Amino acid sequence: MSTKPIKHYLQFSDFTLAEYEYVIERAHIIKRKFKNYEIYHPLIDRTLVMVFEKNSTRTRLSFEAGMHQLGGAAIYLNTRDSQLGRGEPVEDAGQVMSRMCDIIMVRTFGQEIIERFAANSRVPVINGLTNEHHPCQVFADIFTFYEHRGPIAGKTVAWVGDANNMLYSWLQAAEVFGFHVNVSTPKGYDMDMSLVSTNRFTLFDNPSDACAGAHLVNTDVWTSMGYEEENAARLKAFDGWIVDGAKMARAAPDALFMHCLPAHRGEEVAAEVIDGPQSVVWDEAENRLHIQKALIEYLLLGRLDAASQPD
């Protein structure tokens, strides 16, 4: 059992700027190896357990494929098929699972669930999504911005739509990386200020005004998982918050469009935008794989110098 302090990744603010810059550089290297079909197995005999309470496509694919590509193994657990679904305490599950693997990813509802799990884990825990935070997705988004436009420091990100886990992670990212977020949410769907710990944002009643001059325009579905019963009310309340060509025209000339997917064309985003030349949603989705591989490597192996990097 290692005596090294356990490093978890439960929300975006858990890493420093220096740590993010290191992992981004590692992601560039690991992605290049992947694209060149170079075998890179630094995690032979290491096991990732993935605990899912919420459905997923990109999260499961990226973590499972990523762990295999690093030479390790990934085990999928759905709470419906495990003792967690029958009422086993989260604390007990954290104790048991962490004795049988090297790292754990949890995708669940309340942030307090993953916090309790991590407090009882002997190995690193990664937040694959909670109601309050989605740090891996925003990390991948920032990596994608770096690839297309360079550093995000000093830039403006527009958020148009629901005040959800994505927005709260973007706000934490703004504090770490030093950029600004223009936020436009419909009345009644405003930010929970108890989840906001930065002043690097401006609120806009008009979503078009939020896009003005932005270097990145970002949105998400209007009805997130767990809020399906509100769908009809949300469709009415969010009328006018679609990211369309007119809104993108107010952004910076080289602005990018991002969406964490799945998307509903004609609701939160127009087809002309998500399928248009400013959209980088497919790169963004793929980069979940590469940034999470670098994240897992860092959490398990720490910072690697050139001489110690495994082949």
Side-chain angles (χ1 to χ4, degrees):
M1 183 74 184
S2 172
T3 58
K4 183 178 68 174
I6 300 170
K7 181 77 175 178
H8 301 300
Y9 189 61
L10 306 183
Q11 52 186 301
F12 203 93
S13 59
D14 284 346
F15 279 15
T16 64
L17 178 60
E19 287 178 303
Y20 276 113
E21 290 176 338
Y22 169 78
V23 177
I24 285 172
E25 180 57 33
R26 291 299 303 158
H28 283 301
I29 294 169
I30 291 170
K31 183 174 182 177
R32 186 168 63 247
K33 289 179 181 291
F34 175 80
K35 295 296 185 180
N36 291 335
Y37 295 96
E38 295 179 30
I39 295 175
Y40 180 58
H41 288 168
L43 299 183
I44 291 175
D45 204 31
R46 302 292 187 103
T47 303
L48 164 71
V49 167
M50 306 179 298
V51 182
F52 285 87
E53 192 171 14
K54 283 190 172 186
N55 295 333
S56 166
T57 299
R58 280 150 292 275
T59 297
R60 180 176 178 181
L61 277 172
S62 55
F63 274 106
E64 189 164 345
M67 194 62 181
H68 284 299
Q69 290 164 16
L70 292 172
I75 298 173
Y76 171 83
L77 285 179
N78 190 297
T79 53
R80 293 189 300 271
D81 306 322
S82 68
Q83 296 299 334
L84 274 171
R86 299 182 63 227
E88 181 174 20
V90 170
E91 292 79 3
D92 293 2
Q95 288 275 3
V96 172
M97 290 182 193
S98 65
R99 288 170 178 256
M100 299 185 184
C101 66
D102 301 282
I103 189 166
I104 301 170
M105 186 281 299
V106 179
R107 183 177 172 95
T108 186
F109 288 90
Q111 181 73 12
E112 59 90 19
I113 296 174
I114 198 170
E115 298 280 355
R116 287 161 51 204
F117 190 101
N120 289 275
S121 174
R122 294 184 168 203
V123 302
V125 177
I126 298 172
N127 182 351
L129 176 143
T130 62
N131 289 346
E132 293 85 357
H133 300 285
H134 200 356
C136 288
Q137 179 65 60
V138 172
F139 198 174
D141 294 355
I142 290 174
F143 178 59
T144 305
F145 190 92
Y146 267 66
E147 286 189 318
H148 286 268
R149 297 288 184 264
I152 198 169
K155 304 297 186 181
T156 298
V157 175
W159 180 266
V160 177
D162 193 15
N164 63 9
N165 50 10
M166 284 290 296
L167 173 56
Y168 298 124
S169 288
W170 270 112
L171 291 169
Q172 289 191 353
E175 186 66 22
V176 174
F177 280 88
F179 59 87
H180 196 82
V181 185
N182 289 349
V183 180
S184 182
T185 60
K187 289 288 187 283
Y189 297 90
D190 312 298
M191 294 191 297
D192 178 351
M193 296 308 296
S194 70
L195 297 174
V196 179
S197 57
T198 183
N199 60 2
R200 291 182 174 273
F201 67 92
T202 304
L203 299 177
F204 291 83
D205 292 331
N206 186 328
S208 181
D209 291 342
C211 296
H215 303 93
L216 168 61
V217 178
N218 213 320
T219 191
D220 194 2
V221 295
W222 291 342
T223 306
S224 299
M225 284 181 287
Y227 299 92
E228 288 81 4
E229 291 183 359
E230 302 176 11
N231 189 56
R234 284 173 174 262
L235 288 177
K236 183 177 180 180
F238 283 71
D239 184 39
W241 263 259
I242 184 173
V243 177
D244 53 18
K247 292 185 181 66
M248 289 300 298
R250 295 197 63 190
D254 64 344
L256 300 176
F257 172 77
M258 292 189 188
H259 190 305
C260 62
L261 304 177
H264 300 99
R265 289 165 176 79
E267 287 186 15
E268 75 274 5
V269 61
E272 64 178 333
V273 172
I274 194 170
D275 299 318
Q278 291 174 281
S279 174
V280 291
V281 298
W282 314 123
D283 292 341
E284 178 188 4
E286 178 191 333
N287 280 337
R288 288 288 301 277
L289 171 70
H290 308 301
I291 206 70
Q292 288 163 192
K293 286 167 70 175
L295 173 64
I296 291 169
E297 179 194 70
Y298 176 64
L299 290 174
L300 288 180
L301 302 182
R303 185 180 289 265
L304 304 176
D305 58 40
S308 67
Q309 290 179 19
D311 295 325

